[in-house]
Amino acid sequence: MKIRLLVPAVGISVISLFISLFLLGHFEIYAQRERVVGPHVKQTASVTKVVSTRSSTFARAAAENARLRGSLTWVFGGKTQTGWTIYVPLISHTIGTDAAPESDEFALALSNWQGDSGILPSGILDAATLAAFTKHWQSRRLGRSGLISSDSLRAAPIGEFFDPTRAPDLLQLDQETYAAYQKMVAAAVRDLGQELKATKTGELAPDEKFFRIVSAYRSPEYQAALRRREPNAGRAALAKHSPHSTGHALDIYVGGEPVRTLDSNRLIQVQTPAYKWLVKNAHRFGFYPYFYEPWHWEYVPGK
Ligand SMILES: [Zn+2]
């Protein structure tokens, strides 16, 4: 009798245990689903919030950039400078965008570069950011490598020079630099097509001035004479230790007055196809710019 009663009781207990386990399991699955669904919904909401915050941030940054590109005050070479429009081609190349400087897209690309460079990723091209750019550009230039050994100098044909009456002792440059320059100009002639006058064999036509060498190697004596002639020229205009005395620096004709630092002249130069091409391509041939002088390029292979 006791056993008869016990069997159904055990049976009921086992069944209720199964029901409990089933409900518990079901609840757990439900709870898990809640946990999965819950944060996902929240995340979607916060992503939307982040995206809208970011786009309005960049709209504000873009408006600031539109204002600052012509008005930011900064100092370089002992002179007060205004705005950064002259440097837009270099900046755009450095941050990897072709977007207009007053666009949200430019501000976004700038903020990425700022983040990578360890500065506040505001998307605003302010004085601190401009200082970071100039430091970056200057770091790729020739160091104080001193005087060139004269056996690496060679004279280039007068036809390579901007001034066909240039003195014979001013036609020299480092021979490796000259070979790289020739390769670079051949590529520019191929790429720029109708923008340049070229011969049938793919060289610059004799009357084409763009890409011609304005100045190459300068002996320390010649540099000193230049400084004596212009004693009041700013530090940026005429350096005491010129990279030209290494034989690895070239002034290349990129438009306007060949080597004049006046803002209006440099604004003309930085808009020429020749300059824009150099900004995007010169590094492939080992040439890096001096940002302040659109015509000045230095051969620093492997840097
Ligand atoms: Zn120069």
Side-chain angles (χ1 to χ4, degrees), residues 102-177:
E102 52 280 330
S103 66
D104 293 13
E105 200 183 330
F106 179 93
L108 172 62
L110 178 62
S111 79
N112 288 334
W113 188 85
Q114 287 170 320
D116 292 344
S117 307
I119 50 178
L120 187 73
S122 63
I124 299 171
L125 214 165
D126 53 12
T129 305
L130 194 57
F133 275 123
T134 59
K135 189 180 169 195
H136 169 67
W137 296 326
Q138 295 289 68
S139 73
R140 298 177 311 181
R141 296 186 58 199
L142 291 165
R144 288 274 170 89
S145 43
L147 299 178
I148 193 171
S149 65
S150 56
D151 55 357
S152 86
L153 285 177
R154 62 163 286 182
I158 183 77
E160 299 277 31
F161 286 80
F162 177 80
D163 174 8
T165 66
R166 195 166 173 81
D169 60 333
L170 294 176
L171 307 181
Q172 289 182 304
L173 70 163
D174 166 67
Q175 55 189 351
E176 204 185 311
T177 303

